[in-house]
Amino acid sequence: MRRRFLLSVLASDLAALSLGLAIALQIEFGTVLPWQARLPSAAVTSIWPFVGLMFAGALVGSLFSARMWGPSTPRPSYGRAFAIVGVTLTLAALGIVLLRPYHSNAVLGLTIATFLAGAIAHRAIRRRRPWTEQMVIITNQKGLVDDLRSSDHADVVAVYDPGDAPPDGVENDPLLLVIDLRPVMSDTMAQFVSSWNLSGRPVRSLTQVYEEHTGRLPIVHLAEGWELTSPVSRNEYAPFKRIVDVTLTLVTALLWVPLCLVLWLGVKLDSRGPAIYSQERMGRGGRPFTLYKFRTMTVDAERDGPRFAARDDDRLTRAGRLLRRFRVDELPQLWNVLLGDLSLVGPRPERPIFTQQFDRTIPFYSYRHLIRPGVTGWAQVNYGYADSEAQTVDKLTYDLYYVKHMSPWLDMQILGQSIWTVLSGFGAK
């Protein structure tokens, strides 16, 4: 189902690009067929290199987009449409500069504009009726089943207890059978699962399906924590993540440093007190460090003691509400990235007073400290603020998912969503 969806999106994108090219050729040359285009100079022999550059860019952009989904279920995304079209335009422009084939700026512009409109249009249609994966689940974990039912692409047809007799009426249905490997199955249920598998129909574990469809890690399925420590210790990306963080932070300094100066002035003029707020947070391995951010609350915000930050916190200043909406209050944390306290992407660093409490009351909470915390993260773009212990547990399932599946592709997806929030003001959690 996943591969079929990705191929259908690719085919629709290429169709949109072809339509854009045909419209541009018709306007510029009076024909929709590239080989019939009458080029302006006899020295120009072919338009095909120019056309090939655009289609090559679209294929490369689609490949990167597909890889960025990682183990999660792919969904129609407007942001990915912009990214794919942007990669197409960038690679086509680079190819024109380096290879110097015949090109037409008018054709390129019209093609890209129509390509973007078509890519957004077919995603809008897909989002109205998301594709679904029909499944039968064998488990006694009602909470995990409820999470799957609430996801866009999981169609839970039936749920059966592992200790019960096998279900009737699904033997001939081409459904996905999802099994919980933790509880002991009855003999008849185990024989049913074995027969389903031997018949060639799909069988997958509940943990894998849950992670793909929710982007979360089922904490109840963790044993001793080795399911997290082993992937981190074997992760080939981990040794290079620090290099990527520093490089990206320094390369973009010409953008964020001037912006920080403007925001510093705005915070200073809006309310009394320092513009930069510092606070002790817990870092990798449980080591404390000083985190910097723009002050978004009044100077006496914690006169009654520390408490969770909320989305519509009454302690926020006027400037603070705006900074939080666009998530730019965290820009000073790029200095923490250069110091080595933070990564660009990772679990959000928590205050020691809350960390000590959660370590005692929430299983596996300390495992989020296996990696360096981040300025933004998987939990932030999918969940956001947690203002209670119950919500902290939910947010932890996203953090541990990132710890397990950390990769450059997942980092690109998170950074892309975070940048979209900063630019648009939408999607902030």
Side-chain angles (χ1 to χ4, degrees), residues 66-187:
R67 289 296 303 271
M68 283 169 61
W69 283 118
S72 61
T73 302
R75 299 173 175 86
S77 167
Y78 298 134
R80 291 179 185 275
F82 280 97
I84 292 171
V85 175
V87 170
T88 302
L89 178 60
T90 301
L91 293 184
L94 285 175
I96 290 170
V97 171
L98 296 176
L99 303 177
R100 297 191 177 279
Y102 165 78
H103 72 282
S104 168
N105 291 334
V107 171
L108 179 61
L110 287 169
T111 301
I112 292 298
T114 309
F115 180 22
L116 178 60
I120 291 176
H122 81 76
R123 283 170 172 81
I125 295 172
R126 293 174 188 276
R127 289 166 71 94
R128 295 181 63 183
R129 296 190 63 183
W131 65 270
T132 56
E133 189 171 30
Q134 291 188 318
M135 59 187 70
V136 173
I137 305 178
I138 300 176
T139 184
N140 53 17
Q141 294 291 337
K142 182 179 182 300
L144 300 185
V145 174
D146 289 342
D147 290 341
L148 279 171
R149 289 187 191 275
S150 64
S151 64
D152 291 334
H153 303 281
D155 181 10
V156 180
V157 176
V159 181
Y160 300 96
D161 191 282
D164 291 344
D168 296 324
V170 298
E171 290 85 351
N172 298 319
D173 293 337
L175 305 174
L176 170 66
L177 184 63
V178 180
I179 57 174
D180 188 344
L181 299 176
R182 294 190 67 194
V184 177
M185 294 186 184
S186 66
D187 291 341

Side-chain angles (χ1 to χ4, degrees), residues 314-332:
D314 58 5
R315 300 171 294 172
L316 292 173
T317 63
R318 290 173 300 176
R321 292 184 186 278
L322 189 62
L323 293 179
R324 286 204 177 189
R325 177 182 174 183
F326 289 91
R327 279 290 178 85
V328 290
D329 60 311
E330 298 172 349
L331 278 177

Side-chain angles (χ1 to χ4, degrees), residues 353-422:
I353 185 173
F354 295 131
T355 298
Q356 294 166 8
Q357 172 189 340
F358 295 149
D359 280 342
R360 294 191 300 267
T361 59
I362 301 178
F364 303 104
Y365 184 83
S366 62
Y367 283 82
R368 68 197 301 274
H369 298 138
L370 286 171
I371 61 176
R372 191 176 278 108
V375 177
T376 185
W378 186 241
Q380 283 85 294
V381 300
N382 285 284
Y383 194 88
Y385 291 109
D387 54 12
S388 68
E389 185 167 309
Q391 291 183 358
T392 300
V393 174
D394 286 337
K395 190 173 181 179
L396 178 63
T397 61
Y398 290 101
D399 281 332
L400 297 185
Y401 175 92
Y402 177 79
V403 170
K404 181 178 180 180
H405 297 290
M406 181 176 63
S407 71
W409 311 106
L410 186 54
D411 279 5
M412 289 171 63
Q413 180 178 349
I414 295 169
L415 288 173
Q417 291 180 245
S418 301
I419 292 172
W420 172 253
T421 297
V422 171

